Amino acid sequence: MILCLETATPTCSIALVDKGKVISIRESHDGQNHAEKITVFIDEVMKETGACYSQLDAIAVSKGPGSYTGLRIGVSTAKGLCYAIDRPLIATDTLHAMAYGAAAIIADKIKENDLYCPMIDARRMEVYTAIFDSKLIKIKDTEAVIIDEHSFSELRKEHHLYLMGDGADKLGDIFSNNDSISVIKNFHCSAGHQAQLATEALKNKCFVDVAYFEPYYLKDFVPGIPTVKGLK
């Protein structure tokens, strides 16, 4: 049994997974309210299933890329649980988990040569993204890219790309006339998407060091200029 935490995007999501299946889940898509929601959601999924913390085999957390603040909250909460109940920590790739989530939605449409392209909004026309084949194997590493009408031009010659995530939602107009790209609208990150990755990691004992693990931010955090009077 694995408790999965997802806070890499505006979605705050907690799922309890047993034998690779989600047995309870709580989510909020309201924005950056992770600190307010995360412990409440954890308590709710545990109570709903009647599970005890002693029954957990591991804690899984989405490692990024994504929101600096969101990732810090998720990872610090996961580490606190690991220390409290003496359980190992699993770190799942956020984009890879999104690809698994998309696969569950459009499995009947996917052909052997199709590709999954999960995207996390990085402001303006920039996204964090990676590309996975129809078997959910990563074929292009995670990167921050600025998207325009020429993006994926080489891949589009031989593949159909499925884009999903809050980074993809803003691209509908750019690719609206392109038959080689489809955007899965209103796709949210979910802790439930981690189920298979986390279960496989537990089976193979692929854990990270609780003391030293850090989220994968991809880009350095740059604080904004304070706008409150007296803080400049």
Side-chain angles (χ1 to χ4, degrees):
M1 193 177 293
I2 307 170
L3 185 66
C4 299
L5 285 61
E6 170 58 72
T7 59
T9 70
T11 294
C12 180
S13 177
I14 305 297
L16 189 59
V17 173
D18 189 18
K19 299 180 177 65
K21 303 294 183 181
V22 175
I23 60 174
S24 181
I25 191 166
R26 289 290 186 279
E27 294 183 331
S28 170
H29 308 303
D30 293 340
Q32 304 295 341
N33 58 1
H34 304 79
E36 174 188 346
K37 297 289 187 181
I38 189 167
T39 54
V40 174
F41 286 172
I42 290 171
D43 186 57
E44 287 180 356
V45 299
M46 296 299 287
K47 287 181 177 178
E48 180 178 69
T49 58
C52 300
Y53 286 95
S54 60
Q55 294 177 277
L56 297 176
D57 295 294
I59 307 296
V61 66
S62 181
K63 71 177 182 180
S67 158
Y68 180 91
T69 302
L71 289 169
R72 295 297 293 180
I73 292 169
V75 169
S76 62
T77 302
K79 286 185 174 186
L81 285 168
C82 289
Y83 280 122
I85 63 176
D86 192 23
R87 293 295 186 272
L89 178 62
I90 295 169
T92 61
D93 184 304
T94 307
L95 295 169
H96 202 173
M98 289 172 66
Y100 269 90
I105 296 173
I106 58 171
D108 58 332
K109 298 180 180 179
I110 291 294
K111 299 177 181 177
E112 184 176 357
N113 211 35
D114 292 346
L115 302 175
Y116 296 98
C117 187
M119 294 179 165
I120 295 173
D121 189 10
R123 297 183 180 179
R124 297 184 177 88
M125 296 311 294
E126 189 174 25
V127 299
Y128 302 134
T129 188
I131 295 178
F132 303 83
D133 67 15
S134 60
K135 297 180 180 178
L136 299 173
I137 297 172
K138 183 182 283 189
I139 62 170
K140 188 172 178 58
D141 288 337
T142 301
E143 59 182 344
V145 297
I146 296 174
I147 303 296
D148 60 28
E149 65 272 19
H150 304 296
S151 297
F152 315 114
S153 56
E154 289 301 314
L155 287 173
R156 280 150 44 184
K157 294 176 181 178
E158 299 182 5
H159 305 273
H160 189 99
L161 282 74
Y162 286 91
L163 282 51
M164 75 291 301
D166 60 2
D169 285 343
K170 62 186 180 182
L171 305 179
D173 291 340
I174 292 179
F175 299 120
S176 60
N177 297 319
N178 194 300
D179 295 335
S180 298
I181 292 181
S182 298
V183 177
I184 304 174
K185 293 290 188 179
N186 302 314
F187 180 96
H188 298 288
C189 285
S190 172
H193 298 161
Q194 300 178 36
Q196 294 183 56
L197 290 172
T199 300
E200 190 68 19
L202 177 62
K203 177 182 176 182
N204 295 320
K205 297 183 179 181
C206 294
F207 307 129
V208 295
D209 190 298
V210 177
Y212 296 103
F213 172 72
E214 290 291 332
Y216 178 43
Y217 299 117
L218 190 57
K219 294 172 67 175
D220 291 335
F221 174 64
V222 179
I225 299 173
T227 57
V228 178
K229 185 176 180 180
L231 293 182
K232 293 185 178 181

